[in-house]
Amino acid sequence: MNASRLSMRAIPFDVTAAGVATQLLTERHRQNLSGLATLMNVRRRTVVYREDTLARWIFMIADGVVKSYRDLPSGKRRIVAFLFPGDVFGLAENGQFVNTTQTVTDATLYRIPVDALKDLLRRDPDLQFRFLCKVTHQLREAQRHTICVSKRTAAAKIALFLKMLERDGSWHTEASAPRTIAIPMTRTDIADYLGLSPEAVSRCNSRLVRRGIIAFPDRHRVRILNSVELDRLAAVL
Amino acid sequence: MNASRLSMRAIPFDVTAAGVATQLLTERHRQNLSGLATLMNVRRRTVVYREDTLARWIFMIADGVVKSYRDLPSGKRRIVAFLFPGDVFGLAENGQFVNTTQTVTDATLYRIPVDALKDLLRRDPDLQFRFLCKVTHQLREAQRHTICVSKRTAAAKIALFLKMLERDGSWHTEASAPRTIAIPMTRTDIADYLGLSPEAVSRCNSRLVRRGIIAFPDRHRVRILNSVELDRLAAVL
DNA sequence: CGCTAGATTGATAAAGGTCAATCATTGTGG
DNA sequence: CCACAATGATTGACCTTTATCAATCTAGCG
């Protein structure tokens, strides 16, 4: 099994140079993990697992984007997280998955049986500590998401969302294109993530374009034209 | 050091009887942890630590309630979590605390130096696994919080909040009083947690009382009069 | 090249934010 | 122990914003 793309990214507990997300796994960890893992190539919009089903595996993203969500009794959908390369998902509660996960793009995933992983973590406390860092990091992300959702205006939510996309979703893209951010998900996904209606997302995008703050070369790419103003919007409320 | 009140509660990874939060620590774990810990009694409204300061300890709650929050540039405050007995807080990012924490009630805390804890976790993979469970559980809680905040109506947010309080905050109270829930925090705290104005919280409470769904024996206690209707409100949107 | 899901735009109504005034409760000092 | 001060809670009036419903447009995919 090729281990070269197995990665786990987070901001570690300890002080580091830039205080930015870095690779948590050593080559040895990658070797050990990939020995347990199955590499999967999945098409976009594939459901990886459904909530309340038996959690026999955990997953790590080598490439692509995944959304984790719950469908509410009202029929509305709430996306609790977008997951990017270097993220882990499928950590269970009471032996069952808590959310449903679906690929947003074509993706490459490592699938690891939980039993084998638990054994490995028990034998390798150092590796386990890195998982602890990773989950802690995802907890921070969830808290940031909550703050984003709690913003009152659609403009503030979307401004924050774009900055989050730039930070989490584009660390692997070349810095050549000046602040052009890939938006792999649909407008509806964004609405479900921000707690808005799809209409509100569209309207707000249009207003931001009209005000010259952003531009859409196409629907899955955005260009930041006025970074200062976007930051100001993100700070509102 | 008396270890009897050192506890860590969460829903474990694995399948258990009820799928409900249980004590994760064995007596041995409690012994080992309390050997590192300092027991602190703190008055209500005491700041335990401030965001962006050096994170030399982590904390576990033996008794009392703590809020974890960030103050936004706009002056608004967002509470990202209320913490109860059995909760852990102070897990750092890049060697620094991410949020500010303050006691809501008089509280009893265990304070553990991170360096010593890291050593212990490295020597005791089983204990470390329980921390991993705990952090995972807190990640779920954060996701539930996001869903709560994303509700559009104040009534839905407050209905969900009360159910959350009953689940997390009252597991230690005797079941004698039929569905009377303690509300240790202020209305403003609730507003900051739900992403509402304090006025909206007040207004919504009044409306729920007028409709006979809840009653307030006093400001820090609520009684559920119509559980069915409250559930229906929580499911809205 | 047409079909279908997603995206956009418009009009309307409901809900909460804000500002302002009053009331209640908690804590303090005499 | 009581009075007062200060903080928090409540209520009202007004206004901004977004959800909803409906129609149209667009783009990706067979």
Side-chain angles (χ1 to χ4, degrees):
Chain A
M1 182 67 57
N2 176 14
S4 65
R5 292 158 78 196
L6 222 175
S7 93
M8 188 161 80
R9 293 177 58 84
I11 302 178
F13 279 130
D14 296 308
V15 183
T16 57
V20 78
T22 55
Q23 175 58 247
L24 291 181
L25 300 180
T26 66
E27 188 51 43
R28 186 177 59 78
H29 291 139
R30 285 216 270 281
Q31 295 291 342
N32 289 339
L33 281 171
S34 63
L36 307 176
T38 305
L39 189 60
M40 303 168 64
N41 284 299
V42 291
R43 298 269 324 265
R44 62 194 295 254
R45 290 166 190 265
T46 306
V47 171
V48 181
Y49 55 76
R50 291 188 195 281
E51 61 186 82
D52 299 329
T53 60
L54 193 62
R56 297 177 50 204
W57 302 284
I58 73 117
F59 299 85
M60 298 177 67
I61 305 181
D63 198 49
V65 179
V66 172
K67 61 184 176 188
S68 175
Y69 62 88
R70 295 181 67 91
D71 288 317
L72 305 184
S74 61
K76 296 258 182 292
R77 172 171 294 181
R78 292 280 91 113
I79 294 178
V80 296
F82 289 114
L83 301 157
F84 300 95
D87 280 336
V88 177
F89 65 100
L91 296 166
E93 198 170 82
N94 199 35
Q96 299 195 310
F97 293 121
V98 176
N99 303 306
T100 300
T101 53
Q102 187 180 22
T103 52
V104 170
T105 63
D106 290 350
T108 305
L109 309 177
Y110 287 91
R111 191 185 71 181
I112 306 177
V114 282
D115 294 334
L117 180 63
K118 279 169 65 177
D119 285 345
L120 177 59
L121 294 182
R122 213 166 289 266
R123 290 194 311 272
D124 188 343
D126 179 49
L127 177 61
Q128 187 171 212
F129 188 76
R130 288 157 204 253
F131 271 83
L132 193 55
C133 287
K134 180 60 184 171
V135 178
T136 301
H137 186 251
Q138 294 194 182
L139 174 60
R140 308 289 172 227
E141 292 290 318
Q143 292 177 346
R144 277 188 261 273
H145 180 202
T146 305
I147 290 175
C148 184
V149 168
S150 77
K151 298 273 174 184
R152 275 190 324 90
T153 67
K157 292 186 186 191
I158 287 180
L160 263 178
F161 176 72
L162 292 179
K163 294 179 69 169
M164 168 275 214
L165 258 189
E166 189 173 32
R167 192 168 43 80
D168 297 341
S170 309
W171 57 269
H172 56 293
T173 61
E174 60 296 334
S176 64
R179 302 210 76 180
T180 296
I181 305 170
I183 305 181
M185 59 290 291
T186 67
R187 299 291 188 263
T188 304
D189 284 339
I190 297 172
D192 290 343
Y193 182 76
L194 296 177
L196 293 170
S197 63
E199 293 94 326
V201 174
S202 262
R203 261 189 272 273
C204 183
N205 282 344
S206 303
R207 197 154 51 237
L208 293 176
V209 168
R210 241 175 286 131
R211 290 170 60 184
I213 298 170
I214 59 178
F216 289 96
D218 61 87
R219 272 183 183 162
H220 288 290
R221 219 154 1 187
V222 67
R223 176 180 277 261
I224 310 292
L225 301 178
N226 186 339
S227 180
V228 176
E229 189 61 14
L230 196 70
D231 286 357
R232 227 178 47 71
L233 283 174
V236 166
L237 218 185
Chain B
M1 181 66 58
N2 176 14
S4 65
R5 292 158 78 195
L6 223 176
S7 92
M8 188 160 79
R9 292 176 59 84
I11 302 179
F13 279 128
D14 296 309
V15 183
T16 56
V20 77
T22 56
Q23 176 57 247
L24 290 181
L25 301 180
T26 65
E27 188 52 42
R28 185 177 60 78
H29 292 138
R30 284 216 272 279
Q31 294 291 341
N32 289 339
L33 281 172
S34 64
L36 307 176
T38 305
L39 189 61
M40 303 168 63
N41 283 301
V42 291
R43 297 269 326 262
R44 61 194 297 250
R45 289 162 191 266
T46 305
V47 171
V48 181
Y49 55 75
R50 291 187 195 283
E51 62 187 83
D52 299 329
T53 60
L54 192 63
R56 296 176 51 203
W57 302 284
I58 73 116
F59 298 85
M60 299 176 67
I61 304 182
D63 198 48
V65 180
V66 171
K67 62 184 177 189
S68 175
Y69 61 88
R70 294 181 68 93
D71 288 317
L72 305 184
S74 61
K76 295 259 183 291
R77 171 170 296 179
R78 292 279 91 114
I79 293 178
V80 295
F82 289 113
L83 302 157
F84 299 95
D87 279 336
V88 177
F89 65 100
L91 296 166
E93 197 170 81
N94 199 36
Q96 299 194 313
F97 293 121
V98 177
N99 303 307
T100 301
T101 53
Q102 186 180 21
T103 52
V104 169
T105 63
D106 290 350
T108 306
L109 308 177
Y110 287 90
R111 191 185 70 181
I112 306 176
V114 282
D115 294 335
L117 179 63
K118 279 169 66 176
D119 285 346
L120 177 59
L121 294 182
R122 214 165 288 266
R123 290 195 311 271
D124 188 344
D126 179 51
L127 178 61
Q128 187 171 210
F129 188 77
R130 290 158 201 253
F131 271 83
L132 192 56
C133 287
K134 179 61 183 172
V135 178
T136 302
H137 186 252
Q138 294 194 178
L139 175 59
R140 308 289 171 227
E141 292 290 318
Q143 291 177 347
R144 278 187 260 274
H145 181 202
T146 305
I147 290 176
C148 183
V149 168
S150 78
K151 298 275 173 181
R152 275 188 324 89
T153 66
K157 293 186 186 192
I158 288 180
L160 264 178
F161 176 72
L162 293 179
K163 295 178 67 168
M164 169 276 213
L165 259 189
E166 188 174 33
R167 192 168 42 80
D168 296 342
S170 310
W171 57 270
H172 55 294
T173 61
E174 59 296 335
S176 64
R179 303 209 76 180
T180 297
I181 306 170
I183 305 180
M185 59 289 291
T186 67
R187 299 291 188 263
T188 305
D189 284 339
I190 298 173
D192 291 342
Y193 182 77
L194 296 177
L196 293 170
S197 63
E199 294 94 328
V201 173
S202 264
R203 261 190 273 275
C204 184
N205 282 343
S206 303
R207 196 155 51 239
L208 292 176
V209 168
R210 241 176 285 129
R211 290 170 60 186
I213 296 170
I214 58 176
F216 289 95
D218 61 89
R219 271 183 184 161
H220 288 291
R221 219 154 0 187
V222 67
R223 176 182 277 261
I224 312 292
L225 300 178
N226 187 340
S227 180
V228 176
E229 189 60 16
L230 195 70
D231 286 357
R232 228 179 47 73
L233 283 173
V236 165
L237 216 186

